[in-house]
């Protein structure tokens, strides 16, 4: 049987605030729970109770689409209390947060959408962005929805390859 470093509900609240203060955008409940459940001292019921308390005390705000974000009050208290969290728990949280924030950044930079047309074909919208601006936006017409979804997924897996391949074709021999 493992024993966690988190000992009470106050420390769970500190951890939730620590995480909410470091995510790059408002976070759904499932992801917040996953990022928080990093210590054997935390169970689902304690997490839920602490999360509700943080919303009631206005440390966190529940926004539309069931997304949680830290309030200015929560940020202040997180900064004050973060040193109360066990160091090993903070390290685990930081590792998971880094992965989560990288995933969010990638989702914002690489986007694809499938849009049905009136004539029964589909438009695949592909876009690639960097930290500043749009790098590429491309619309393709395809015959079937399966083709459109396949192209959208392939683009998401390796948009840089498509971008460089397109430049190679455009700058190729005439």
């Amino acid at each position: 049987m493992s024993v966690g470093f988190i000992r009470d509900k106050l420390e769970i609240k500190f951890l939730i605030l620590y995480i909410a203060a470091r995510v790059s955008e408002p976070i759904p409940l499932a992801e917040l729970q996953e990022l928080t459940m990093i210590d054997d001292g935390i169970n689902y019921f304690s997490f839920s109770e602490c999360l509700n308390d943080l919303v009631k005390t206005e440390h966190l705000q529940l926004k539309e689409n069931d997304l949680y974000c830290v309030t200015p009050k929560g940020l202040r208290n997180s900064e004050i209390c973060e040193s109360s969290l066990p160091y090993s728990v903070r390290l685990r949280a930081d590792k998971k947060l880094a992965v989560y924030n990288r995933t969010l950044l990638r989702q914002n930079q690489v986007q694809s959408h499938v849009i049905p047309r009136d004539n029964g074909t589909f438009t695949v919208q592909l876009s690639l962005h960097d930290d500043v601006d749009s790098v590429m936006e491309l619309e393709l017409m395809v015959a079937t929805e399966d083709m459109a979804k396949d192209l959208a997924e392939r683009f998401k897996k390796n948009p840089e390859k498509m971008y460089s391949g397109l430049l190679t074709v455009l700058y190729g021999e005439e």
Side-chain angles (χ1 to χ4, degrees), residues 37-170:
M37 305 292 276
I38 56 173
D39 185 81
D40 291 334
I42 304 170
N43 64 51
Y44 173 77
F45 300 106
S46 296
F47 164 77
S48 295
E49 185 179 332
C50 291
L51 181 63
N52 287 332
D53 288 349
L54 289 169
V55 172
K56 284 179 190 173
T57 58
E58 298 180 352
H59 287 83
L60 292 178
Q61 181 181 20
L62 180 58
K63 297 184 146 255
E64 57 189 59
N65 300 329
D66 295 326
L67 299 174
Y68 290 87
C69 68
V70 68
T71 64
K73 178 182 180 180
L75 273 175
R76 279 191 312 276
N77 287 335
S78 175
E79 289 172 4
I80 293 167
C81 300
E82 73 181 42
S83 61
S84 300
L85 282 173
Y87 181 69
S88 62
V89 173
R90 276 186 286 158
L91 282 179
R92 273 187 259 151
D94 288 341
K95 282 183 181 178
K96 289 191 101 170
L97 281 163
V99 170
Y100 181 79
N101 284 329
R102 273 195 309 274
T103 302
L104 284 179
L105 178 63
R106 185 70 173 176
Q107 286 174 352
N108 290 330
Q109 289 178 333
V110 180
Q111 297 183 1
S112 63
H113 304 283
V114 174
I115 303 167
R117 292 179 166 195
D118 292 336
N119 64 0
T121 61
F122 293 83
T123 297
V124 182
Q125 292 179 334
L126 310 172
S127 62
L128 178 62
H129 302 268
D130 62 12
D131 295 336
V132 179
D133 205 356
S134 175
V135 175
M136 176 181 78
E137 292 186 23
L138 181 63
E139 283 190 8
L140 302 168
M141 188 275 300
V142 295
T144 68
E145 186 175 14
D146 287 340
M147 288 174 66
K149 288 179 178 178
D150 184 50
L151 286 176
E153 285 307 309
R154 287 173 181 253
F155 177 74
K156 283 183 174 181
K157 289 179 183 172
N158 200 346
E160 296 85 2
K161 184 176 181 182
M162 182 181 283
Y163 177 76
S164 64
L166 185 58
L167 286 179
T168 300
V169 168
L170 291 172

Side-chain angles (χ1 to χ4, degrees), residues 23-34:
V23 292
S24 56
E25 58 187 52
I27 184 170
L29 173 64
E31 278 85 358
L32 183 57
Q33 178 187 345
E34 183 179 328

